[in-house]
Amino acid sequence: MVTPSALLEVAATVAREAGRLIVEGRADARVAHTKSSAVDVVTQMDLASERLLRERLSALRPADGVWGEEGEDVGGTSGITWVVDPIDGTVNYLYGLPHYAVSVAAVSGPRDVREWRLEAGAVVDASGVVWTAARGEGARRAGVPLWRDRGPSLDESLVATGFQYTAERRARQGEVVARLLPRVRDIRRLGAASVDLCHVSAGMVDAYYEEGLHPWDFAAGALIAQESGLRVGGLDGGPADSRMLIAAHPDAWPGLRDALLESGAGDR
Ligand code: IPD
């Protein structure tokens, strides 16, 4: 069976290459089409980056499956699936706001975010910094180990979050954030979930939560967060999924989860 560190080498290699491609193509970024709403954009570079990732992954690991934001779901025979976001933070990318990333994760087991096992993940951000993790082997930023050894109380926490693209969900997410805001140090909405998870791993924010993420938004970042000592989970205390992901130090996690419940998170 392939080891997590061997998978990480593949993840970091292909994510670096796609990272270079999107940074070089930034000046020509233009909308190719929209998805769930008029503000949910796909640029031609999302498509080019995903093409490159799929080509490289199928050359390096031909028996693996691929699950990507902009392409078809490809099955595999090895039990490993690559979960890729060719540009996470596409709106930032379109505007030239340097807060976006390529995110590549390898998972084993079923294609179900509550049951899969995260094996390896690499996030290459807009400044070329490579954030990595392999299961059981820790997380790193540019090769330097990451470890969060404390989590402040809720009222001292700088909390990152994000919003979905449909008007109805945004309105509800806005209500939750309005109730949470007076209870925390402050809120940040930077616009790239994978980078938010890296930032919480490095202590650049204290915690992060978001409702409605897709698997490719969080697979690599969630492993980086877990391997840096954080708890990543959903409102019910089980694994994170598309309903909710909360990442925080284990000491602070229950307090944030309770505050989110009290703020109406999870209400449909
Ligand atoms: C989005 C970003 C954003 C988050 C959204 C994601 P995309 O990913 O990660 O920060 O709030 O939930 O969909 O569309 O730029 O790949």
Side-chain angles (χ1 to χ4, degrees):
M1 190 61 183
V2 61
T3 62
S5 54
L7 291 168
L8 176 54
E9 204 172 315
V10 174
T13 301
V14 301
R16 267 199 195 93
E17 199 181 337
R20 279 194 297 272
L21 177 85
I22 65 170
V23 168
E24 281 162 15
R26 221 303 304 159
D28 300 323
R30 56 177 191 279
V31 175
H33 60 262
T34 58
K35 293 192 290 188
S36 60
S37 77
V39 295
D40 187 2
V41 294
V42 178
T43 71
Q44 92 288 10
M45 291 306 295
D46 290 76
L47 304 175
S49 173
E50 180 139 343
R51 257 194 318 272
L52 182 144
L53 289 169
R54 284 172 184 266
E55 272 168 29
R56 297 295 186 267
L57 288 169
S58 73
L60 291 167
R61 302 268 320 162
D64 296 352
V66 183
W67 199 5
E69 181 170 19
E70 315 298 351
E72 262 172 41
D73 195 357
V74 174
T77 53
S78 66
I80 299 292
T81 301
W82 294 92
V83 185
V84 304
D85 193 339
I87 304 181
D88 181 35
T90 300
V91 173
N92 288 343
Y93 182 75
L94 186 63
Y95 281 75
L97 196 58
H99 190 80
Y100 54 83
V102 175
S103 174
V104 176
V107 306
S108 59
R111 278 188 204 201
D112 174 337
V113 297
R114 289 179 72 88
E115 286 183 32
W116 69 16
R117 186 162 73 171
L118 297 164
E119 299 286 348
V123 173
V124 177
D125 70 23
S127 51
V129 174
V130 186
W131 304 73
T132 56
R135 178 172 54 82
E137 290 170 26
R140 292 183 161 69
R141 169 176 54 185
V144 179
L146 293 167
W147 186 253
R148 286 277 312 275
D149 55 7
R150 53 168 227 107
S153 59
L154 188 66
D155 58 342
E156 289 183 343
S157 288
L158 183 60
V159 179
T161 190
F163 307 119
Q164 281 305 295
Y165 293 112
T166 59
E168 192 197 29
R169 290 192 91 159
R170 287 182 165 212
R172 202 163 39 76
Q173 290 175 325
E175 286 164 16
V176 172
V177 94
R179 293 190 198 110
L180 186 66
L181 181 55
R183 302 181 61 180
V184 298
R185 169 163 279 155
D186 212 338
I187 296 281
R188 294 289 180 268
R189 194 292 194 250
L190 296 173
S194 60
V195 188
D196 289 325
L197 283 159
C198 292
H199 284 176
V200 73
S201 306
M204 294 158 76
V205 291
D206 294 304
Y208 164 68
Y209 79 91
E210 185 162 343
E211 278 183 87
L213 289 172
H214 299 287
W216 43 82
D217 295 321
F218 70 83
L223 183 63
I224 293 166
Q226 280 165 2
E227 288 289 330
S228 56
L230 299 175
R231 177 170 175 188
V232 179
L235 281 176
D236 60 2
D241 61 20
S242 63
R243 292 170 300 174
M244 176 61 86
L245 180 149
I246 306 167
H249 189 274
D251 295 346
W253 197 96
L256 177 56
R257 189 267 309 271
D258 292 351
L260 284 165
L261 285 170
E262 287 154 19
S263 301
D267 291 351
R268 294 277 140 184

